[in-house]
Amino acid sequence: MSISTSTTPLRVVLLAALILTFSHSPSLRAEIRTLVLTDDATAPAQIAIARGGESGFTIAWNSHPPNGVRIQRFTAEGSPQGSVIEATDLDSRFAESIALARDGNGNDLVLWRTTSGATHLIQRLFATAFDATGARLFPIVELARSIRLDEKLSGYAGVGSAPSGWIVAWSADSLGPPGQIFSQRIQASSGPVGAPTLVAEQAQAWTYLVGLATGGETILAVWSSLDPYADRQNDIVGLLLDSNGTPAGEVQSLVQGTGRAFALTGTGLEGTGDGRFLLTYAWNNLASGTFEAFGLELEGSHPVA
C-alpha cells in the first residue's frame, strides 16, 4: 500500500478515506484513497459522510471563505460524481456544525446549525436535499430556532426512513431543565411534513442527542442525559421511533455513568439490521485518570444480555 501527495498550488486535500470493497468471496480489501474536494483556497472545517440506498457515498463539509456548506458525491471506488454542490445560499457566517443523511433512493439530506446576531445568540437549524444528479429537491427550510439567552439547540442528526425521505431529530435545552428531544419527518419530494414532534422531555436533565440510526423498520434515537442536581451525571438513554418519527416505545436507560468522575467524550450508533443496533461510547474516568471505551449491542432499545 502506498500513499501519494499532491503539491498543486491552492489545492486543499480535505480527507484521506479508507475505501472498503466487498467481493463475492469472504475476503475484505481495504485501500486508502486521498479524496480532493476543493481546488480553491477555501478552508474546510467539519466533515460529514452519508452512505446507503445505492453504492457510493456523499461527503459534506463546512468551508470559509466563502462561508457555506458544500457536498460532493463519490462512487464506491472513491471517484467523484458530478461537481461540488453549494448547499447553502444564505448567510452562514456563523455556521457551527453539519450533518448528512441518505435515504433509500440515494437522495442526500443536508443539515446545518448557525448562530447569528450581535451576540451570536440566535441558533437556527436548516435543511435541504439533493437527488443523485445534484438537483435540489426542495428549498432551504428552517426546522428549529432558539433565540433566548437561556435556550440552545444542541445535538442533531438525520437518518433515511423508507425508500424516499428522512427522519431528523434534535435536542433543545435551556439553562434550567427540562431537556427536550424533537423529531421531524421530511419527504424527499416536498420537505418537512407537519410540525416537529416532541418525543421526549426530561424534567430534571439537560439532553444532547448523540445518535440516530435505523435498524430495519424502526429508528433508534440516543441521547445523553446530564442531571445537574445529582451525582449520576452522564446517563445514556434511548427511544425507538417509528417511520414517521413518533415514539414507538418508552425511554430506556442504556448506560448509567454514575458519579461526577465520569466525563462522556464520544458516542457512536449504527444499525445492524433486524431491529438491532451497536452503541459505542467513551468517557474519561477522572477519578482514575483513565480513558475507557465500550461497545453495547442493543435489540431495539434494550441491551442484549
Side-chain angles (χ1 to χ4, degrees), residues 90-127:
L90 48 80
D91 179 13
S92 56
R93 180 169 46 148
F94 300 112
E96 296 176 312
S97 55
I98 58 175
L100 191 64
R102 177 173 286 190
D103 71 4
N105 287 335
N107 302 312
D108 292 315
L109 179 73
V110 188
L111 302 166
W112 65 96
R113 185 184 61 196
T114 69
T115 58
S116 60
T119 54
H120 299 187
L121 293 180
I122 302 174
Q123 292 187 322
R124 305 166 74 187
L125 180 61
F126 293 97

PDB file of all heavy atoms in Angstrom, residues 90-127:
ATOM      1  N   LEU A  90     -27.477  31.194   1.787  1.00  0.00           N
ATOM      2  CA  LEU A  90     -27.815  32.244   2.729  1.00  0.00           C
ATOM      3  C   LEU A  90     -26.587  32.519   3.590  1.00  0.00           C
ATOM      4  O   LEU A  90     -25.588  31.824   3.518  1.00  0.00           O
ATOM      5  CB  LEU A  90     -29.024  31.866   3.592  1.00  0.00           C
ATOM      6  CG  LEU A  90     -29.026  30.473   4.250  1.00  0.00           C
ATOM      7  CD1 LEU A  90     -28.174  30.454   5.491  1.00  0.00           C
ATOM      8  CD2 LEU A  90     -30.455  30.074   4.587  1.00  0.00           C
ATOM      9  N   ASP A  91     -26.662  33.557   4.394  1.00  0.00           N
ATOM     10  CA  ASP A  91     -25.537  33.948   5.237  1.00  0.00           C
ATOM     11  C   ASP A  91     -25.325  32.907   6.327  1.00  0.00           C
ATOM     12  O   ASP A  91     -26.103  32.805   7.265  1.00  0.00           O
ATOM     13  CB  ASP A  91     -25.811  35.313   5.866  1.00  0.00           C
ATOM     14  CG  ASP A  91     -24.668  35.763   6.780  1.00  0.00           C
ATOM     15  OD1 ASP A  91     -23.600  35.131   6.713  1.00  0.00           O
ATOM     16  OD2 ASP A  91     -24.854  36.725   7.531  1.00  0.00           O
ATOM     17  N   SER A  92     -24.274  32.119   6.188  1.00  0.00           N
ATOM     18  CA  SER A  92     -23.970  31.099   7.193  1.00  0.00           C
ATOM     19  C   SER A  92     -22.612  31.376   7.815  1.00  0.00           C
ATOM     20  O   SER A  92     -21.836  30.487   8.081  1.00  0.00           O
ATOM     21  CB  SER A  92     -23.999  29.706   6.564  1.00  0.00           C
ATOM     22  OG  SER A  92     -23.101  29.650   5.470  1.00  0.00           O
ATOM     23  N   ARG A  93     -22.325  32.654   8.025  1.00  0.00           N
ATOM     24  CA  ARG A  93     -21.018  33.044   8.525  1.00  0.00           C
ATOM     25  C   ARG A  93     -20.706  32.392   9.869  1.00  0.00           C
ATOM     26  O   ARG A  93     -19.562  32.094  10.173  1.00  0.00           O
ATOM     27  CB  ARG A  93     -20.965  34.570   8.677  1.00  0.00           C
ATOM     28  CG  ARG A  93     -19.643  35.088   9.184  1.00  0.00           C
ATOM     29  CD  ARG A  93     -19.534  36.576   9.063  1.00  0.00           C
ATOM     30  NE  ARG A  93     -20.722  37.264   9.534  1.00  0.00           N
ATOM     31  CZ  ARG A  93     -20.699  38.473  10.096  1.00  0.00           C
ATOM     32  NH1 ARG A  93     -19.551  39.091  10.251  1.00  0.00           N
ATOM     33  NH2 ARG A  93     -21.800  39.064  10.473  1.00  0.00           N
ATOM     34  N   PHE A  94     -21.746  32.145  10.660  1.00  0.00           N
ATOM     35  CA  PHE A  94     -21.523  31.564  11.968  1.00  0.00           C
ATOM     36  C   PHE A  94     -22.004  30.115  12.007  1.00  0.00           C
ATOM     37  O   PHE A  94     -22.420  29.627  13.045  1.00  0.00           O
ATOM     38  CB  PHE A  94     -22.222  32.387  13.046  1.00  0.00           C
ATOM     39  CG  PHE A  94     -21.742  33.805  13.111  1.00  0.00           C
ATOM     40  CD1 PHE A  94     -22.576  34.850  12.740  1.00  0.00           C
ATOM     41  CD2 PHE A  94     -20.450  34.090  13.504  1.00  0.00           C
ATOM     42  CE1 PHE A  94     -22.130  36.157  12.796  1.00  0.00           C
ATOM     43  CE2 PHE A  94     -19.997  35.387  13.560  1.00  0.00           C
ATOM     44  CZ  PHE A  94     -20.833  36.440  13.200  1.00  0.00           C
ATOM     45  N   ALA A  95     -21.978  29.420  10.855  1.00  0.00           N
ATOM     46  CA  ALA A  95     -22.339  28.000  10.826  1.00  0.00           C
ATOM     47  C   ALA A  95     -21.412  27.217  11.740  1.00  0.00           C
ATOM     48  O   ALA A  95     -20.205  27.334  11.671  1.00  0.00           O
ATOM     49  CB  ALA A  95     -22.259  27.465   9.403  1.00  0.00           C
ATOM     50  N   GLU A  96     -21.995  26.419  12.623  1.00  0.00           N
ATOM     51  CA  GLU A  96     -21.214  25.717  13.635  1.00  0.00           C
ATOM     52  C   GLU A  96     -20.974  24.256  13.291  1.00  0.00           C
ATOM     53  O   GLU A  96     -19.896  23.728  13.558  1.00  0.00           O
ATOM     54  CB  GLU A  96     -21.927  25.793  14.983  1.00  0.00           C
ATOM     55  CG  GLU A  96     -22.059  27.205  15.519  1.00  0.00           C
ATOM     56  CD  GLU A  96     -22.847  27.235  16.802  1.00  0.00           C
ATOM     57  OE1 GLU A  96     -23.928  26.609  16.854  1.00  0.00           O
ATOM     58  OE2 GLU A  96     -22.395  27.875  17.744  1.00  0.00           O
ATOM     59  N   SER A  97     -21.966  23.573  12.770  1.00  0.00           N
ATOM     60  CA  SER A  97     -21.837  22.138  12.567  1.00  0.00           C
ATOM     61  C   SER A  97     -22.789  21.681  11.472  1.00  0.00           C
ATOM     62  O   SER A  97     -23.736  22.379  11.116  1.00  0.00           O
ATOM     63  CB  SER A  97     -22.116  21.384  13.874  1.00  0.00           C
ATOM     64  OG  SER A  97     -23.387  21.743  14.380  1.00  0.00           O
ATOM     65  N   ILE A  98     -22.520  20.484  10.942  1.00  0.00           N
ATOM     66  CA  ILE A  98     -23.303  19.946   9.839  1.00  0.00           C
ATOM     67  C   ILE A  98     -23.599  18.475  10.088  1.00  0.00           C
ATOM     68  O   ILE A  98     -22.936  17.814  10.887  1.00  0.00           O
ATOM     69  CB  ILE A  98     -22.560  20.104   8.485  1.00  0.00           C
ATOM     70  CG1 ILE A  98     -21.202  19.406   8.542  1.00  0.00           C
ATOM     71  CG2 ILE A  98     -22.406  21.561   8.112  1.00  0.00           C
ATOM     72  CD1 ILE A  98     -20.457  19.416   7.230  1.00  0.00           C
ATOM     73  N   ALA A  99     -24.610  17.961   9.388  1.00  0.00           N
ATOM     74  CA  ALA A  99     -24.930  16.536   9.403  1.00  0.00           C
ATOM     75  C   ALA A  99     -25.462  16.169   8.021  1.00  0.00           C
ATOM     76  O   ALA A  99     -25.936  17.032   7.271  1.00  0.00           O
ATOM     77  CB  ALA A  99     -25.950  16.202  10.493  1.00  0.00           C
ATOM     78  N   LEU A 100     -25.398  14.892   7.687  1.00  0.00           N
ATOM     79  CA  LEU A 100     -25.753  14.424   6.354  1.00  0.00           C
ATOM     80  C   LEU A 100     -26.433  13.069   6.486  1.00  0.00           C
ATOM     81  O   LEU A 100     -26.042  12.250   7.325  1.00  0.00           O
ATOM     82  CB  LEU A 100     -24.480  14.306   5.506  1.00  0.00           C
ATOM     83  CG  LEU A 100     -24.591  14.077   4.009  1.00  0.00           C
ATOM     84  CD1 LEU A 100     -25.275  15.258   3.329  1.00  0.00           C
ATOM     85  CD2 LEU A 100     -23.196  13.881   3.416  1.00  0.00           C
ATOM     86  N   ALA A 101     -27.472  12.808   5.685  1.00  0.00           N
ATOM     87  CA  ALA A 101     -28.169  11.527   5.720  1.00  0.00           C
ATOM     88  C   ALA A 101     -28.650  11.183   4.317  1.00  0.00           C
ATOM     89  O   ALA A 101     -29.020  12.062   3.539  1.00  0.00           O
ATOM     90  CB  ALA A 101     -29.347  11.570   6.686  1.00  0.00           C
ATOM     91  N   ARG A 102     -28.654   9.894   3.982  1.00  0.00           N
ATOM     92  CA  ARG A 102     -29.100   9.425   2.663  1.00  0.00           C
ATOM     93  C   ARG A 102     -30.303   8.516   2.830  1.00  0.00           C
ATOM     94  O   ARG A 102     -30.349   7.671   3.726  1.00  0.00           O
ATOM     95  CB  ARG A 102     -27.962   8.671   1.965  1.00  0.00           C
ATOM     96  CG  ARG A 102     -28.365   8.095   0.616  1.00  0.00           C
ATOM     97  CD  ARG A 102     -27.190   7.500  -0.120  1.00  0.00           C
ATOM     98  NE  ARG A 102     -26.329   8.557  -0.657  1.00  0.00           N
ATOM     99  CZ  ARG A 102     -25.330   8.316  -1.518  1.00  0.00           C
ATOM    100  NH1 ARG A 102     -25.091   7.086  -1.924  1.00  0.00           N
ATOM    101  NH2 ARG A 102     -24.598   9.303  -1.968  1.00  0.00           N
ATOM    102  N   ASP A 103     -31.311   8.683   1.954  1.00  0.00           N
ATOM    103  CA  ASP A 103     -32.480   7.812   2.015  1.00  0.00           C
ATOM    104  C   ASP A 103     -32.297   6.611   1.094  1.00  0.00           C
ATOM    105  O   ASP A 103     -31.245   6.418   0.478  1.00  0.00           O
ATOM    106  CB  ASP A 103     -33.761   8.587   1.707  1.00  0.00           C
ATOM    107  CG  ASP A 103     -33.883   8.992   0.244  1.00  0.00           C
ATOM    108  OD1 ASP A 103     -33.018   8.617  -0.576  1.00  0.00           O
ATOM    109  OD2 ASP A 103     -34.870   9.690  -0.093  1.00  0.00           O
ATOM    110  N   GLY A 104     -33.340   5.778   0.993  1.00  0.00           N
ATOM    111  CA  GLY A 104     -33.243   4.542   0.227  1.00  0.00           C
ATOM    112  C   GLY A 104     -33.137   4.732  -1.263  1.00  0.00           C
ATOM    113  O   GLY A 104     -32.803   3.790  -1.990  1.00  0.00           O
ATOM    114  N   ASN A 105     -33.434   5.935  -1.770  1.00  0.00           N
ATOM    115  CA  ASN A 105     -33.324   6.217  -3.198  1.00  0.00           C
ATOM    116  C   ASN A 105     -32.032   6.945  -3.551  1.00  0.00           C
ATOM    117  O   ASN A 105     -31.874   7.390  -4.692  1.00  0.00           O
ATOM    118  CB  ASN A 105     -34.525   7.057  -3.663  1.00  0.00           C
ATOM    119  CG  ASN A 105     -35.799   6.237  -3.719  1.00  0.00           C
ATOM    120  OD1 ASN A 105     -35.762   5.023  -3.861  1.00  0.00           O
ATOM    121  ND2 ASN A 105     -36.942   6.903  -3.584  1.00  0.00           N
ATOM    122  N   GLY A 106     -31.130   7.090  -2.601  1.00  0.00           N
ATOM    123  CA  GLY A 106     -29.865   7.763  -2.875  1.00  0.00           C
ATOM    124  C   GLY A 106     -29.934   9.273  -2.814  1.00  0.00           C
ATOM    125  O   GLY A 106     -29.001   9.945  -3.263  1.00  0.00           O
ATOM    126  N   ASN A 107     -31.027   9.836  -2.261  1.00  0.00           N
ATOM    127  CA  ASN A 107     -31.124  11.280  -2.077  1.00  0.00           C
ATOM    128  C   ASN A 107     -30.405  11.680  -0.783  1.00  0.00           C
ATOM    129  O   ASN A 107     -30.458  10.948   0.216  1.00  0.00           O
ATOM    130  CB  ASN A 107     -32.584  11.721  -1.997  1.00  0.00           C
ATOM    131  CG  ASN A 107     -33.373  11.329  -3.227  1.00  0.00           C
ATOM    132  OD1 ASN A 107     -32.944  11.549  -4.352  1.00  0.00           O
ATOM    133  ND2 ASN A 107     -34.544  10.739  -3.017  1.00  0.00           N
ATOM    134  N   ASP A 108     -29.775  12.837  -0.789  1.00  0.00           N
ATOM    135  CA  ASP A 108     -28.988  13.279   0.356  1.00  0.00           C
ATOM    136  C   ASP A 108     -29.637  14.466   1.044  1.00  0.00           C
ATOM    137  O   ASP A 108     -29.940  15.484   0.403  1.00  0.00           O
ATOM    138  CB  ASP A 108     -27.576  13.670  -0.079  1.00  0.00           C
ATOM    139  CG  ASP A 108     -26.771  12.472  -0.549  1.00  0.00           C
ATOM    140  OD1 ASP A 108     -26.809  11.437   0.146  1.00  0.00           O
ATOM    141  OD2 ASP A 108     -26.109  12.563  -1.597  1.00  0.00           O
ATOM    142  N   LEU A 109     -29.843  14.351   2.362  1.00  0.00           N
ATOM    143  CA  LEU A 109     -30.347  15.441   3.187  1.00  0.00           C
ATOM    144  C   LEU A 109     -29.159  16.114   3.871  1.00  0.00           C
ATOM    145  O   LEU A 109     -28.319  15.454   4.480  1.00  0.00           O
ATOM    146  CB  LEU A 109     -31.309  14.908   4.243  1.00  0.00           C
ATOM    147  CG  LEU A 109     -31.895  15.942   5.202  1.00  0.00           C
ATOM    148  CD1 LEU A 109     -32.934  16.797   4.500  1.00  0.00           C
ATOM    149  CD2 LEU A 109     -32.502  15.258   6.434  1.00  0.00           C
ATOM    150  N   VAL A 110     -29.105  17.450   3.781  1.00  0.00           N
ATOM    151  CA  VAL A 110     -28.035  18.224   4.392  1.00  0.00           C
ATOM    152  C   VAL A 110     -28.621  19.058   5.521  1.00  0.00           C
ATOM    153  O   VAL A 110     -29.615  19.761   5.335  1.00  0.00           O
ATOM    154  CB  VAL A 110     -27.349  19.148   3.356  1.00  0.00           C
ATOM    155  CG1 VAL A 110     -26.112  19.800   3.975  1.00  0.00           C
ATOM    156  CG2 VAL A 110     -26.978  18.378   2.099  1.00  0.00           C
ATOM    157  N   LEU A 111     -28.016  18.972   6.703  1.00  0.00           N
ATOM    158  CA  LEU A 111     -28.446  19.725   7.880  1.00  0.00           C
ATOM    159  C   LEU A 111     -27.294  20.589   8.353  1.00  0.00           C
ATOM    160  O   LEU A 111     -26.137  20.177   8.320  1.00  0.00           O
ATOM    161  CB  LEU A 111     -28.853  18.784   9.014  1.00  0.00           C
ATOM    162  CG  LEU A 111     -29.967  17.777   8.758  1.00  0.00           C
ATOM    163  CD1 LEU A 111     -29.986  16.726   9.858  1.00  0.00           C
ATOM    164  CD2 LEU A 111     -31.307  18.470   8.680  1.00  0.00           C
ATOM    165  N   TRP A 112     -27.609  21.810   8.807  1.00  0.00           N
ATOM    166  CA  TRP A 112     -26.577  22.628   9.433  1.00  0.00           C
ATOM    167  C   TRP A 112     -27.213  23.583  10.434  1.00  0.00           C
ATOM    168  O   TRP A 112     -28.361  23.970  10.311  1.00  0.00           O
ATOM    169  CB  TRP A 112     -25.759  23.396   8.396  1.00  0.00           C
ATOM    170  CG  TRP A 112     -26.494  24.433   7.609  1.00  0.00           C
ATOM    171  CD1 TRP A 112     -26.559  25.776   7.858  1.00  0.00           C
ATOM    172  CD2 TRP A 112     -27.277  24.227   6.416  1.00  0.00           C
ATOM    173  NE1 TRP A 112     -27.324  26.414   6.910  1.00  0.00           N
ATOM    174  CE2 TRP A 112     -27.777  25.484   6.009  1.00  0.00           C
ATOM    175  CE3 TRP A 112     -27.602  23.092   5.656  1.00  0.00           C
ATOM    176  CZ2 TRP A 112     -28.571  25.640   4.890  1.00  0.00           C
ATOM    177  CZ3 TRP A 112     -28.406  23.239   4.541  1.00  0.00           C
ATOM    178  CH2 TRP A 112     -28.873  24.502   4.165  1.00  0.00           C
ATOM    179  N   ARG A 113     -26.412  23.901  11.457  1.00  0.00           N
ATOM    180  CA  ARG A 113     -26.850  24.817  12.504  1.00  0.00           C
ATOM    181  C   ARG A 113     -26.024  26.094  12.411  1.00  0.00           C
ATOM    182  O   ARG A 113     -24.813  26.044  12.174  1.00  0.00           O
ATOM    183  CB  ARG A 113     -26.666  24.187  13.878  1.00  0.00           C
ATOM    184  CG  ARG A 113     -27.210  25.029  15.040  1.00  0.00           C
ATOM    185  CD  ARG A 113     -26.891  24.370  16.372  1.00  0.00           C
ATOM    186  NE  ARG A 113     -25.466  24.243  16.580  1.00  0.00           N
ATOM    187  CZ  ARG A 113     -24.922  23.448  17.501  1.00  0.00           C
ATOM    188  NH1 ARG A 113     -25.683  22.692  18.249  1.00  0.00           N
ATOM    189  NH2 ARG A 113     -23.613  23.394  17.642  1.00  0.00           N
ATOM    190  N   THR A 114     -26.662  27.228  12.570  1.00  0.00           N
ATOM    191  CA  THR A 114     -25.956  28.501  12.518  1.00  0.00           C
ATOM    192  C   THR A 114     -26.213  29.290  13.794  1.00  0.00           C
ATOM    193  O   THR A 114     -27.205  29.078  14.493  1.00  0.00           O
ATOM    194  CB  THR A 114     -26.421  29.362  11.317  1.00  0.00           C
ATOM    195  OG1 THR A 114     -27.763  29.806  11.554  1.00  0.00           O
ATOM    196  CG2 THR A 114     -26.358  28.595  10.012  1.00  0.00           C
ATOM    197  N   THR A 115     -25.303  30.189  14.083  1.00  0.00           N
ATOM    198  CA  THR A 115     -25.540  31.200  15.103  1.00  0.00           C
ATOM    199  C   THR A 115     -25.367  32.554  14.445  1.00  0.00           C
ATOM    200  O   THR A 115     -24.542  32.726  13.546  1.00  0.00           O
ATOM    201  CB  THR A 115     -24.561  31.075  16.281  1.00  0.00           C
ATOM    202  OG1 THR A 115     -23.217  31.179  15.799  1.00  0.00           O
ATOM    203  CG2 THR A 115     -24.739  29.758  16.986  1.00  0.00           C
ATOM    204  N   SER A 116     -26.143  33.513  14.880  1.00  0.00           N
ATOM    205  CA  SER A 116     -26.076  34.850  14.283  1.00  0.00           C
ATOM    206  C   SER A 116     -26.516  35.867  15.324  1.00  0.00           C
ATOM    207  O   SER A 116     -26.842  35.532  16.461  1.00  0.00           O
ATOM    208  CB  SER A 116     -26.958  34.933  13.035  1.00  0.00           C
ATOM    209  OG  SER A 116     -28.306  34.653  13.359  1.00  0.00           O
ATOM    210  N   GLY A 117     -26.543  37.111  14.914  1.00  0.00           N
ATOM    211  CA  GLY A 117     -26.879  38.183  15.825  1.00  0.00           C
ATOM    212  C   GLY A 117     -25.631  38.790  16.432  1.00  0.00           C
ATOM    213  O   GLY A 117     -24.543  38.219  16.385  1.00  0.00           O
ATOM    214  N   ALA A 118     -25.788  39.962  17.030  1.00  0.00           N
ATOM    215  CA  ALA A 118     -24.641  40.692  17.567  1.00  0.00           C
ATOM    216  C   ALA A 118     -23.913  39.900  18.630  1.00  0.00           C
ATOM    217  O   ALA A 118     -22.695  40.007  18.784  1.00  0.00           O
ATOM    218  CB  ALA A 118     -25.102  42.036  18.126  1.00  0.00           C
ATOM    219  N   THR A 119     -24.639  39.081  19.389  1.00  0.00           N
ATOM    220  CA  THR A 119     -24.009  38.285  20.440  1.00  0.00           C
ATOM    221  C   THR A 119     -24.019  36.793  20.122  1.00  0.00           C
ATOM    222  O   THR A 119     -23.751  35.966  20.991  1.00  0.00           O
ATOM    223  CB  THR A 119     -24.736  38.513  21.776  1.00  0.00           C
ATOM    224  OG1 THR A 119     -26.132  38.251  21.596  1.00  0.00           O
ATOM    225  CG2 THR A 119     -24.547  39.933  22.263  1.00  0.00           C
ATOM    226  N   HIS A 120     -24.334  36.438  18.880  1.00  0.00           N
ATOM    227  CA  HIS A 120     -24.324  35.045  18.413  1.00  0.00           C
ATOM    228  C   HIS A 120     -25.301  34.175  19.202  1.00  0.00           C
ATOM    229  O   HIS A 120     -25.048  32.998  19.419  1.00  0.00           O
ATOM    230  CB  HIS A 120     -22.915  34.437  18.512  1.00  0.00           C
ATOM    231  CG  HIS A 120     -21.896  35.149  17.691  1.00  0.00           C
ATOM    232  ND1 HIS A 120     -20.619  34.672  17.536  1.00  0.00           N
ATOM    233  CD2 HIS A 120     -21.954  36.293  16.983  1.00  0.00           C
ATOM    234  CE1 HIS A 120     -19.929  35.506  16.777  1.00  0.00           C
ATOM    235  NE2 HIS A 120     -20.736  36.491  16.428  1.00  0.00           N
ATOM    236  N   LEU A 121     -26.411  34.744  19.629  1.00  0.00           N
ATOM    237  CA  LEU A 121     -27.345  34.002  20.462  1.00  0.00           C
ATOM    238  C   LEU A 121     -28.439  33.311  19.664  1.00  0.00           C
ATOM    239  O   LEU A 121     -29.061  32.381  20.161  1.00  0.00           O
ATOM    240  CB  LEU A 121     -27.989  34.938  21.489  1.00  0.00           C
ATOM    241  CG  LEU A 121     -27.054  35.509  22.552  1.00  0.00           C
ATOM    242  CD1 LEU A 121     -27.824  36.417  23.480  1.00  0.00           C
ATOM    243  CD2 LEU A 121     -26.383  34.396  23.327  1.00  0.00           C
ATOM    244  N   ILE A 122     -28.708  33.774  18.453  1.00  0.00           N
ATOM    245  CA  ILE A 122     -29.795  33.184  17.668  1.00  0.00           C
ATOM    246  C   ILE A 122     -29.275  31.923  16.988  1.00  0.00           C
ATOM    247  O   ILE A 122     -28.416  31.976  16.112  1.00  0.00           O
ATOM    248  CB  ILE A 122     -30.325  34.179  16.627  1.00  0.00           C
ATOM    249  CG1 ILE A 122     -30.810  35.457  17.310  1.00  0.00           C
ATOM    250  CG2 ILE A 122     -31.454  33.545  15.819  1.00  0.00           C
ATOM    251  CD1 ILE A 122     -31.224  36.537  16.352  1.00  0.00           C
ATOM    252  N   GLN A 123     -29.785  30.769  17.402  1.00  0.00           N
ATOM    253  CA  GLN A 123     -29.408  29.489  16.806  1.00  0.00           C
ATOM    254  C   GLN A 123     -30.534  29.001  15.915  1.00  0.00           C
ATOM    255  O   GLN A 123     -31.705  29.036  16.303  1.00  0.00           O
ATOM    256  CB  GLN A 123     -29.109  28.452  17.887  1.00  0.00           C
ATOM    257  CG  GLN A 123     -27.858  28.750  18.695  1.00  0.00           C
ATOM    258  CD  GLN A 123     -27.513  27.606  19.628  1.00  0.00           C
ATOM    259  OE1 GLN A 123     -28.393  26.983  20.214  1.00  0.00           O
ATOM    260  NE2 GLN A 123     -26.228  27.321  19.745  1.00  0.00           N
ATOM    261  N   ARG A 124     -30.161  28.524  14.719  1.00  0.00           N
ATOM    262  CA  ARG A 124     -31.158  28.054  13.761  1.00  0.00           C
ATOM    263  C   ARG A 124     -30.670  26.754  13.127  1.00  0.00           C
ATOM    264  O   ARG A 124     -29.474  26.596  12.849  1.00  0.00           O
ATOM    265  CB  ARG A 124     -31.396  29.111  12.681  1.00  0.00           C
ATOM    266  CG  ARG A 124     -31.779  30.470  13.234  1.00  0.00           C
ATOM    267  CD  ARG A 124     -31.678  31.557  12.191  1.00  0.00           C
ATOM    268  NE  ARG A 124     -32.766  31.508  11.215  1.00  0.00           N
ATOM    269  CZ  ARG A 124     -32.823  32.276  10.136  1.00  0.00           C
ATOM    270  NH1 ARG A 124     -31.851  33.131   9.877  1.00  0.00           N
ATOM    271  NH2 ARG A 124     -33.850  32.192   9.309  1.00  0.00           N
ATOM    272  N   LEU A 125     -31.593  25.821  12.925  1.00  0.00           N
ATOM    273  CA  LEU A 125     -31.300  24.548  12.288  1.00  0.00           C
ATOM    274  C   LEU A 125     -31.973  24.518  10.924  1.00  0.00           C
ATOM    275  O   LEU A 125     -33.187  24.688  10.822  1.00  0.00           O
ATOM    276  CB  LEU A 125     -31.803  23.385  13.152  1.00  0.00           C
ATOM    277  CG  LEU A 125     -31.572  21.973  12.612  1.00  0.00           C
ATOM    278  CD1 LEU A 125     -30.075  21.689  12.448  1.00  0.00           C
ATOM    279  CD2 LEU A 125     -32.217  20.939  13.535  1.00  0.00           C
ATOM    280  N   PHE A 126     -31.172  24.323   9.863  1.00  0.00           N
ATOM    281  CA  PHE A 126     -31.663  24.352   8.487  1.00  0.00           C
ATOM    282  C   PHE A 126     -31.520  22.981   7.831  1.00  0.00           C
ATOM    283  O   PHE A 126     -30.711  22.147   8.265  1.00  0.00           O
ATOM    284  CB  PHE A 126     -30.871  25.364   7.654  1.00  0.00           C
ATOM    285  CG  PHE A 126     -31.069  26.794   8.063  1.00  0.00           C
ATOM    286  CD1 PHE A 126     -30.162  27.419   8.897  1.00  0.00           C
ATOM    287  CD2 PHE A 126     -32.152  27.520   7.600  1.00  0.00           C
ATOM    288  CE1 PHE A 126     -30.320  28.742   9.271  1.00  0.00           C
ATOM    289  CE2 PHE A 126     -32.337  28.837   7.967  1.00  0.00           C
ATOM    290  CZ  PHE A 126     -31.418  29.451   8.805  1.00  0.00           C
ATOM    291  N   ALA A 127     -32.292  22.779   6.752  1.00  0.00           N
ATOM    292  CA  ALA A 127     -32.217  21.541   5.985  1.00  0.00           C
ATOM    293  C   ALA A 127     -32.516  21.820   4.524  1.00  0.00           C
ATOM    294  O   ALA A 127     -33.286  22.723   4.180  1.00  0.00           O
ATOM    295  CB  ALA A 127     -33.203  20.504   6.521  1.00  0.00           C
TER     296      ALA A 127
END
